[in-house]
Amino acid sequence: INTNTSNSEYRGDVDFDLFWKIWNDVKANYVKQPVNEVDLFYGAVRGMIGALGDPYSDFYNPQLAEEFDQELSGSFSGIGVEIGKRNGTIVVIAPLEGSPGQQAGLKAGDAILAIDKTDALDMPLDLAVSKIRGEEGSQVLLTVLSKGSQEPKEVAVTRKKIQHTGLRWEYRDGIAYVKLSSFDEETDDLLNKFIRDLEAHEPVDGIVLDLRNNPGGFLDMAIEVASEWIEDGVIVRERDHSGDERLHHARGRARLSGIPTVVLVNEGSASASEIVAGALQDFEIAPLIGKTTFGKGSVQKYEGLEDGSSFRLTVARWFTPKERAIDEVGITPNIEVDLTEQDFNDDKDPQLEEAIRQLKK
């Protein structure tokens, strides 16, 4: 990195000479020498993206970029909780099923106020992620404020290797129950396995597609899943900053279109989950049961850089086939059903019970 570069080029009212003046001053006069240029550079880029104030635009140094790639492939080390930001506060989007975070009691909507006693208010999201993750077997202490609570609580979570199966299924009293936990690289293969198994199974009365606490993932996987019920038409609308619209259409398979289906959603259903839920609801293929979804209706471009770092940038917004906005409002279920902490402790699931009741009508 050439720290003596002077760039007098202006963009509006921005004088890039000021950047290089501060850079050179920090390099020359900061009390702790030597100053690491790479850290300065990554910090500057992180600050640039952070200045957007967008909760889903992030910069990842090479280490965090590798961890993020592992997460998308379904294998990583941590507590198994998807986090995001709302109004400057780090919140739990969804805990992965069976993860240490879920077992410790973390729930969608929980606000993380501190990580290992370090104040997390206004903490950059990538820094929060790096602090929460760590070596398998180590512990992280989170200070959490749950919805409806007046006082925060401390939650100690032991990290472990997270290797989750994004899709699993079972048959319950003539109903095919399908739990989809994420939309990752394996989703399409697992979905094909389920459909082959379903075709070999005796006929079912219906399908329960459980998208609760599914934080999303790849757009292509969301379209593939929705296309198993929707044969033709728009699955989701994508609009960029200029208002230009890109339509994502069904893939024309619809192998599950003739089977009555109900979709379970909750506050942890986000992004790709909301795309699938919104499409099936708009086409009146499946009623939604549960609670209003998270409301992550934005599109991120993810790009890897030559040095191993990467960044995500919000480039568009999602809208359902009937042009309903998703971002920050979520999708309201057709039938609202609570799942209380007492229900969870008693091993009861009134949302699933209502879904099965609807299919058995």
Side-chain angles (χ1 to χ4, degrees), residues 7-8 15 99 181 183 262:
N7 187 344
S8 59
D15 181 357
S99 66
S181 301
F183 293 82
V262 172

Side-chain angles (χ1 to χ4, degrees), residues 110-124:
D110 284 352
I112 299 176
L113 306 182
I115 304 169
D116 285 331
K117 303 289 188 178
T118 300
D119 189 353
L121 294 177
D122 296 320
M123 180 183 287

Side-chain angles (χ1 to χ4, degrees), residues 241-288:
H241 64 92
S242 64
D244 290 342
E245 186 171 72
R246 181 183 177 191
L247 304 180
H248 299 274
H249 291 85
R251 304 283 163 82
R253 294 194 291 190
R255 291 174 288 179
L256 304 175
S257 63
I259 304 174
T261 301
V262 172
V263 179
L264 295 178
V265 294
N266 67 0
E267 303 93 332
S269 306
S271 189
S273 293
E274 293 172 292
I275 288 173
V276 173
L280 295 183
Q281 188 182 55
D282 276 6
F283 277 87
E284 299 183 357
I285 288 173
L288 309 186

Side-chain angles (χ1 to χ4, degrees), residues 196-215:
R196 288 196 297 269
D197 187 69
L198 182 66
E199 291 171 343
H201 195 273
E202 61 186 52
V204 297
D205 296 322
I207 296 173
V208 175
L209 176 61
D210 191 348
L211 297 177
R212 292 176 296 180
N213 294 325
N214 182 327

Side-chain angles (χ1 to χ4, degrees), residues 142-208:
L142 304 178
T143 304
V144 175
L145 182 64
S146 298
K147 281 186 175 181
S149 298
Q150 300 298 318
E151 296 293 331
K153 60 184 178 182
E154 291 188 340
V155 180
V157 190
T158 300
R159 304 175 178 101
K160 73 174 186 178
K161 191 75 172 179
I162 306 297
Q163 291 180 314
H164 70 283
T165 300
L167 188 151
R168 62 178 177 83
W169 65 91
E170 60 185 77
Y171 301 97
R172 304 183 180 187
D173 191 25
I175 301 295
Y177 171 78
V178 182
K179 175 63 177 176
L180 184 54
S181 301
S182 63
F183 293 82
D184 56 36
E185 294 171 343
E186 297 182 342
T187 299
D188 196 31
D189 287 341
L190 290 170
L191 184 62
N192 285 326
K193 288 180 181 178
F194 159 66
I195 292 175
R196 288 196 297 269
D197 187 69
L198 182 66
E199 291 171 343
H201 195 273
E202 61 186 52
V204 297
D205 296 322
I207 296 173
V208 175

Side-chain angles (χ1 to χ4, degrees), residues 56 80-84 86 91-97 102 106-110 147 179-183 210-217 264-274 277 289-296 330-331 339 351:
Y56 304 112
V81 171
E82 177 84 5
I83 62 174
R86 273 194 168 166
V91 298
V92 174
I93 297 176
L96 295 175
E97 181 146 354
Q102 186 189 55
L106 295 177
K107 296 181 176 62
D110 284 352
K147 281 186 175 181
K179 175 63 177 176
L180 184 54
S181 301
S182 63
F183 293 82
D210 191 348
L211 297 177
R212 292 176 296 180
N213 294 325
N214 182 327
L264 295 178
V265 294
N266 67 0
E267 303 93 332
S269 306
S271 189
S273 293
E274 293 172 292
I289 293 176
K291 302 292 289 184
T292 299
T293 60
F294 184 83
K296 183 187 179 296
I331 297 175
L339 176 62
Q351 295 170 339

